[in-house]
C-alpha cells in the first residue's frame, strides 16, 4: 500500500524532535493558539512550506487533540489511512488535478471527504499551496506558518524534492500511485506531483529534468518564493488568526 511504502522509506525523525521537545512545542502552541472559534470543520491550517518542521507541527497538533491530516495522509505517527484506506489516493489525485489546472476547486471532493471524517487540522502540501483559498473556505480557522532560516530551508527542500527530477516530465510510462516507494516517486504521477508542488512555491528548478546543480539565479528564485509565500499570508490573513512559528527556536 502506498502510504506504508512511502512512510517506511523515509526517516520521519530527520525533521522531527525528541519526545520532550515535541511536548514543549505542543505546550507553546496551546498557549499561542488559544481557543479556536470553529465549532466544526477545519480549525487549524498549517501553511508552512514543506521542510519547515511541518511534521513536528502535525504531531504537536495531534497531541493537542486536533484530528490532523499531514499532507495526503501518510504520516506513520498519524496514520489516517487506517481510518480511511482510500484517503491518501483521493487526496493525491485531487491535489495533482488542482496543481495541474491551477484550480482550487479541484480539491473540493477531497475536502468534502476530509470534512466527513471530522478532520480538524491540515498541514503541509497540498494544503499549504492553497492556504489562502482554504482560509476563505474556513474563515474561523487559525493559520500557522512554520518558518526557518531560508538558506537552511533551501538545502533541506532540495535534498527532499530533487528526486522528482530523476525522470523527464510526461509523457512517459504511468504507474498507479499505490505502488510502493520508490516507484511512486520515480514514476508518474507522483514525480509530476512533486514537480507541480515545487513550481507552486516558486522553486520548480529543484525538480526540473535533467537534475543538474541549480544555478545561483535558480536558488535565489527558490529563496524568493519562500519569502513571498510568508509575506502573502501576512497580507491575506488577519493578524489575530495568523501565527508565524519557528519550531526550532
Amino acid at each position: 500500500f502506498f502510504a506504508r511504502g512511502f512512510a517506511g522509506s523515509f526517516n520521519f525523525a530527520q525533521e522531527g524532535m525528541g519526545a520532550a521537545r515535541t511536548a514543549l512545542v505542543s505546550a507553546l502552541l496551546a498557549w499561542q493558539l488559544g481557543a479556536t472559534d470553529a465549532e466544526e470543520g477545519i480549525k487549524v491550517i498549517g501553511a508552512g512550506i514543506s521542510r519547515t518542521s511541518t511534521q513536528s507541527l502535525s504531531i504537536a497538533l495531534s497531541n493537542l487533540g486536533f484530528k490532523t491530516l499531514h499532507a495526503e495522509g501518510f504520516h506513520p505517527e498519524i496514520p489516517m489511512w487506517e481510518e480511511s484506506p482510500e484517503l491518501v489516493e483521493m487526496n493525491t489525485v485531487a491535489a495533482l488535478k488542482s496543481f495541474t489546472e491551477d484550480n482550487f476547486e479541484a480539491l473540493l471532493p477531497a475536502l468534502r471527504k476530509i470534512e466527513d471524517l471530522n478532520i480538524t487540522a491540515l498541514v503541509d502540501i497540498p494544503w499549504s499551496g492553497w492556504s489562502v483559498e482554504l482560509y476563505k473556505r474556513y474563515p474561523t480557522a487559525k493559520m500557522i506558518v512554520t518558518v526557518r532560516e531560508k538558506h537552511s530551508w533551501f538545502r533541506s527542500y532540495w535534498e527532499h524534492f530533487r528526486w522528482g527530477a530523476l525522470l523527464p516530465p510526461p509523457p512517459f510510462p504511468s504507474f498507479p500511485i499505490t505502488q510502493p516507494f520508490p516507484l511512486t516517486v520515480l514514476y508518474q504521477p507522483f514525480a509530476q506531483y512533486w514537480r507541480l508542488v515545487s513550481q507552486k512555491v516558486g522553486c520548480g528548478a529543484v525538480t526540473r529534468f535533467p537534475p543538474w546543480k541549480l544555478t545561483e539565479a535558480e536558488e535565489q528564485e527558490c529563496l524568493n518564493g519562500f519569502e513571498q509565500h510568508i509575506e502573502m499570508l501576512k497580507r491575506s490573513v488577519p493578524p489575530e488568526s495568523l501565527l508565524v512559528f519557528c519550531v526550532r527556536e
Side-chain angles (χ1 to χ4, degrees):
F1 182 63
F2 160 71
R4 293 187 180 88
F6 188 93
S9 301
F10 262 96
N11 177 12
F12 280 88
Q14 66 186 343
E15 192 191 49
M17 309 166 294
R21 191 171 179 190
T22 301
L24 175 60
V25 170
S26 300
L28 288 171
L29 279 178
W31 172 62
Q32 295 191 53
L33 272 177
T36 56
D37 296 328
E39 296 182 359
E40 58 184 16
I42 301 302
K43 298 181 179 181
V44 178
I45 301 166
I49 294 177
S50 298
R51 314 312 296 167
T52 57
S53 292
T54 56
Q55 294 173 34
S56 301
L57 172 63
S58 289
I59 295 171
L61 289 171
S62 182
N63 289 347
L64 290 173
F66 293 96
K67 191 173 183 180
T68 304
L69 178 65
H70 179 85
E72 298 81 19
F74 53 74
H75 199 294
E77 295 186 46
I78 314 173
M80 292 301 301
W81 70 78
E82 293 182 355
E83 180 176 348
S84 179
E86 74 278 10
L87 183 64
V88 171
E89 184 162 352
M90 186 175 187
N91 287 339
T92 305
V93 169
L96 179 60
K97 182 176 175 65
S98 75
F99 290 133
T100 300
E101 300 177 356
D102 194 23
N103 178 16
F104 171 71
E105 291 190 358
L107 273 182
L108 295 183
L111 288 173
R112 285 191 283 268
K113 177 67 174 179
I114 286 166
E115 292 164 0
D116 289 343
L117 292 170
N118 297 314
I119 289 169
T120 56
L122 301 174
V123 181
D124 211 310
I125 57 172
W127 324 113
S128 56
W130 296 107
S131 44
V132 172
E133 291 79 3
L134 283 171
Y135 182 73
K136 292 177 181 177
R137 182 175 175 87
Y138 307 107
T140 60
K142 302 287 188 180
M143 185 173 291
I144 303 176
V145 189
T146 44
V147 298
R148 65 190 287 187
E149 194 278 322
K150 63 182 181 180
H151 293 94
S152 171
W153 165 80
F154 171 76
R155 288 191 296 272
S156 180
Y157 193 90
W158 177 79
E159 289 173 357
H160 187 77
F161 281 91
R162 60 179 172 158
W163 304 108
L166 292 181
L167 290 177
F172 59 84
S174 180
F175 292 83
I177 64 172
T178 50
Q179 288 292 324
F181 185 87
L183 287 180
T184 308
V185 174
L186 295 179
Y187 297 106
Q188 266 278 55
F190 212 82
Q192 179 65 2
Y193 178 38
W194 276 14
R195 189 172 284 115
L196 292 167
V197 165
S198 296
Q199 291 171 359
K200 181 74 172 176
V201 300
C203 199
V206 167
T207 56
R208 60 144 166 77
F209 180 85
W212 307 134
K213 178 179 173 60
L214 270 63
T215 65
E216 289 186 8
E218 288 172 329
E219 179 175 343
Q220 186 60 51
E221 183 179 1
C222 289
L223 297 174
N224 292 343
F226 178 75
E227 293 181 321
Q228 289 165 7
H229 178 76
I230 299 169
E231 292 305 313
M232 174 191 67
L233 295 174
K234 289 180 178 179
R235 292 193 306 268
S236 303
V237 180
E240 62 271 18
S241 298
L242 182 68
L243 173 61
V244 179
F245 190 79
C246 183
V247 173
R248 298 178 186 276
E249 290 184 352

